[in-house]
Amino acid sequence: MDLKCLEVVCEIADNNVAEKDKAISHDPRVIRNLLALERATIPHLDYFRLVQADLKPFMRKIVTTWMLEVCDEQHCEEQVFPLAVNYMDRFLCLCPISRQTLQLLGTCCLLLASKIRQCHALTVDLLCAYTDHSVTPEQIRSWELLVVSTLQWNLSAVTGFDYIDHILERVPWGAENAHIRQHALTLVSVCYTETTFIQITPSLLASACICAATRGINSPSAPFAFGDICRLIQIDPFDVEFTVRHIEQVVAKETAALQKQVYKAHPYASQSTGKIPSSCAADIGQPETPTDIQDVYF
């Protein structure tokens, strides 16, 4: 008898995800356990003011944006980027470093997060190439041990991404529009590059991002999302509304900056929409990632 395998395997192995398990999605203990565990791995202080004398918030913005672009280009699992940022923030709460080693720290955190959250970890040589070889493989391996020892090997952190699917699977409107999930995940990624969200709990961040996503795409569920999520997560509605407004301000700022960049790259782009005429679009390449924090003059 011939054996036949009917499984469809994607080109990128890490993108083969399991089907939804109702035993998990319908169990209220999952949300309770996430809420109980999340506070153990939240950065506990403002390290820019109390620990890091040589770092500024905009430096973190540069490095975390670079980390996000590396994850996007390498098609990493969705949870890799927020987990890497969590490692970096917790490390910076405990150990002062110089600005010249900030990208090295971000590189090590990407390596560790990829080992924890996906089947195929990012390689040391690949990460060195993304830094334009400003760091060496020996430095990455040495700092990898420094990071895990500083974090006391506590690498199973709860992030905002961990809540998105669990919330959407438990609300009645969670499956009505696939764009809600994608927009919410995008907003969570943007928030992890902003210093103002460092000490916000992952549950509050995820709840606010889902509410902002339903509003942003004018979903019919938008009027009900706020109340349903607050009841599910048992969170203060005032905190959610305040965070949603802050997220919308961040998105507006990022959108305006992107449109300005597009218009500067091509004078025929519309200042109001940022759109480029199709006849001229081919002349513009992808923006390059600022891969080396040492190349930025402070």
Side-chain angles (χ1 to χ4, degrees):
M1 180 178 64
D2 294 333
L3 298 179
K4 185 182 298 183
C5 179
L6 300 178
E7 182 181 5
V8 179
V9 180
C10 300
E11 294 182 2
I12 303 174
D14 287 331
N15 285 346
N16 294 287
V17 297
E19 296 182 359
K20 295 180 180 179
D21 187 349
K22 293 183 178 180
I24 295 177
S25 62
H26 293 175
D27 194 331
R29 293 176 298 176
V30 175
I31 295 290
R32 289 202 300 266
N33 289 339
L34 285 174
L35 293 172
L37 293 171
E38 68 176 5
R39 292 194 174 276
T41 52
I42 297 175
H44 61 280
L45 52 79
D46 180 2
Y47 55 78
F48 288 112
R49 184 171 58 90
L50 300 175
V51 180
Q52 304 298 334
D54 197 36
L55 300 183
K56 303 298 179 185
F58 75 90
M59 300 177 190
R60 178 189 181 275
K61 173 71 173 180
I62 293 173
V63 172
T64 53
T65 300
W66 169 77
M67 294 166 64
L68 177 58
E69 292 180 355
V70 171
C71 291
D72 286 342
E73 189 166 322
Q74 289 300 310
H75 305 286
C76 293
E77 288 284 337
E78 296 164 339
Q79 300 92 340
V80 170
F81 170 69
L83 186 61
V85 175
N86 177 271
Y87 292 163
M88 185 172 72
D89 288 333
R90 288 162 56 199
F91 180 89
L92 292 175
C93 288
L94 301 171
C95 184
I97 65 173
S98 66
R99 64 182 65 182
Q100 288 78 15
T101 56
L102 183 57
Q103 190 183 31
L104 172 58
L105 173 61
T107 304
C108 295
C109 292
L110 280 177
L111 177 63
L112 287 169
S114 68
K115 290 181 178 181
I116 296 296
R117 288 298 183 110
Q118 62 183 37
C119 297
H120 303 284
L122 299 172
T123 65
V124 172
D125 291 338
L126 177 67
L127 291 170
C128 285
Y130 270 109
T131 66
D132 199 20
H133 299 284
S134 63
V135 302
T136 65
E138 291 74 19
Q139 287 177 312
I140 293 179
R141 295 187 180 98
S142 174
W143 273 65
E144 181 184 14
L145 182 59
L146 174 62
V147 171
V148 296
S149 60
T150 301
L151 300 182
Q152 299 181 344
W153 295 84
N154 184 11
L155 304 180
S156 298
V158 178
T159 69
F161 274 66
D162 294 321
Y163 282 95
I164 298 295
D165 286 327
H166 287 297
I167 292 176
L168 292 179
E169 288 170 4
R170 286 167 171 77
V171 293
W173 42 266
E176 74 176 19
N177 190 335
H179 293 295
I180 295 177
R181 179 182 185 274
Q182 189 57 47
H183 279 261
L185 293 176
T186 301
L187 291 175
V188 171
S189 295
V190 172
C191 290
Y192 269 90
T193 66
E194 296 290 329
T195 57
T196 52
F197 296 102
I198 290 177
Q199 292 184 269
I200 289 183
T201 61
S203 56
L204 173 56
L205 185 63
S207 301
C209 286
I210 293 176
C211 291
T214 58
R215 294 183 186 181
I217 64 175
N218 295 319
S219 172
S221 61
F224 313 103
F226 191 84
D228 290 343
I229 293 176
C230 289
R231 285 190 293 270
L232 177 65
I233 305 298
Q234 297 180 354
I235 201 167
D236 189 344
F238 175 81
D239 292 338
V240 177
E241 180 63 30
F242 180 81
T243 308
V244 168
R245 293 183 181 182
H246 195 175
I247 291 172
E248 291 172 344
Q249 291 173 359
V250 169
V251 171
K253 181 185 68 176
E254 293 288 337
T255 303
L258 179 61
Q259 290 178 353
K260 183 178 180 180
Q261 181 182 6
V262 170
Y263 182 75
K264 184 178 180 180
H266 200 287
Y268 294 103
S270 169
Q271 287 183 311
S272 59
T273 64
K275 294 183 178 179
I276 305 171
S278 57
S279 60
C280 304
D283 298 333
I284 303 177
Q286 287 293 106
E288 295 183 359
T289 304
T291 55
D292 189 355
I293 193 67
Q294 299 179 57
D295 290 340
V296 181
Y297 296 94
F298 305 114

